[in-house]
Amino acid sequence: MIRLVIVDDHPVVRAGLVGLLSDEPGLEVVGEAADGEAALRVVAATDPDVVLMDLRMPGVDGVAATARIVADYRARVLILTTYETDDQILAAIEAGAGGYLLKAAPQDEIVAGIRSVAAGQTALSPQVAVRLVQRMREPAPEPATLLTVREIDVLRLVAAGRSNKQIAGDLGIGESTVKTHLLRTFDKLGVADRTRAVTLAMERGLLA
């Protein structure tokens, strides 16, 4: 039995998914949440196998919640969203999502994706797979352009003099997640500290 938690800020969509997946053999919905912060509490309480995660939610968004779930719990995360921009796809995968499907996908594709992710495999909608292949074929960009939207958000707040704790509060993410974003930023920019990261990012126009 695959234990599921469903996370979506739209009550009607969430209820629809619960009803849809509860009737599937081998699947059991053990919890639901309307935002990322609530999702973390539900995951801690129910220990699911798979979390079906929306991206855009108030407070802690789907990417931040995914990173924290993957880091702290055994559950695997399958993104199920309306959105498919390159930045969102890459941010979700970088956060540790095991798959990325669109809400417009047929029911059997969503169910198959859940089973694949639960088994430790990857599940990608055809549209998302095409985008990823296209990105892989593009010429490699300069290291600074590899920063994600969230990493730039964190760096912009560092430039404003905010501490890691304050940044975590501003963005609705954990302090450990802030540290992870900063370490990845340092690595991508080839620097060793916050001051140099901000300086280099400004020189390259990333914080303009």
Side-chain angles (χ1 to χ4, degrees):
M1 185 68 71
I2 298 173
R3 294 163 52 82
L4 285 172
V5 165
I6 297 174
V7 185
D8 196 295
D9 64 328
H10 294 289
V12 174
V13 173
R14 195 168 66 249
L17 288 170
V18 171
L20 182 75
L21 298 174
S22 294
D23 293 335
E24 283 291 331
L27 302 184
E28 179 186 7
V29 179
V30 297
E32 55 182 283
D35 57 59
E37 194 64 48
L40 295 170
R41 294 194 296 270
V42 173
V43 168
T46 60
D47 188 31
D49 300 299
V50 176
V51 178
L52 205 58
M53 180 78 71
D54 193 14
L55 280 183
R56 292 188 182 177
M57 297 179 291
V60 177
D61 65 15
V63 171
T66 295
R68 290 168 65 177
I69 289 170
V70 170
D72 297 336
Y73 303 97
R74 71 176 186 88
R76 290 176 58 81
V77 178
L78 173 59
I79 301 297
L80 183 65
T81 185
T82 308
Y83 313 100
E84 54 171 316
T85 68
D86 290 356
D87 284 346
Q88 289 166 328
I89 295 169
L90 292 174
I93 291 174
E94 284 184 353
Y100 196 115
L101 300 179
L102 301 178
K103 289 179 180 177
Q107 178 179 342
D108 57 352
E109 184 179 324
I110 294 173
V111 172
I114 291 169
R115 298 190 192 284
S116 294
V117 169
Q121 301 168 354
T122 300
L124 296 174
S125 71
Q127 300 97 313
V128 170
V130 167
R131 284 180 177 273
L132 288 176
V133 170
Q134 290 173 339
R135 285 295 290 262
M136 290 175 64
R137 289 175 176 171
E138 291 175 358
E142 290 296 317
T145 65
L146 294 174
L147 295 183
T148 65
V149 172
R150 181 63 83 185
E151 287 165 353
I152 292 174
D153 287 341
V154 170
L155 203 54
R156 185 173 288 112
L157 289 171
V158 169
R162 307 289 281 173
S163 67
N164 285 3
K165 184 175 182 179
Q166 290 171 323
I167 293 171
D170 291 342
L171 298 179
I173 59 180
E175 192 170 350
S176 61
T177 303
V178 174
K179 292 178 182 177
T180 298
H181 285 312
L182 284 173
L183 289 174
R184 288 177 178 170
T185 298
F186 294 168
D187 183 59
K188 291 176 181 180
L189 295 178
V191 300
D193 59 71
R194 297 158 67 97
T195 301
R196 181 57 185 150
V198 169
T199 301
L200 188 57
M202 286 181 170
E203 289 175 355
R204 299 186 179 181
L206 293 175
L207 301 181

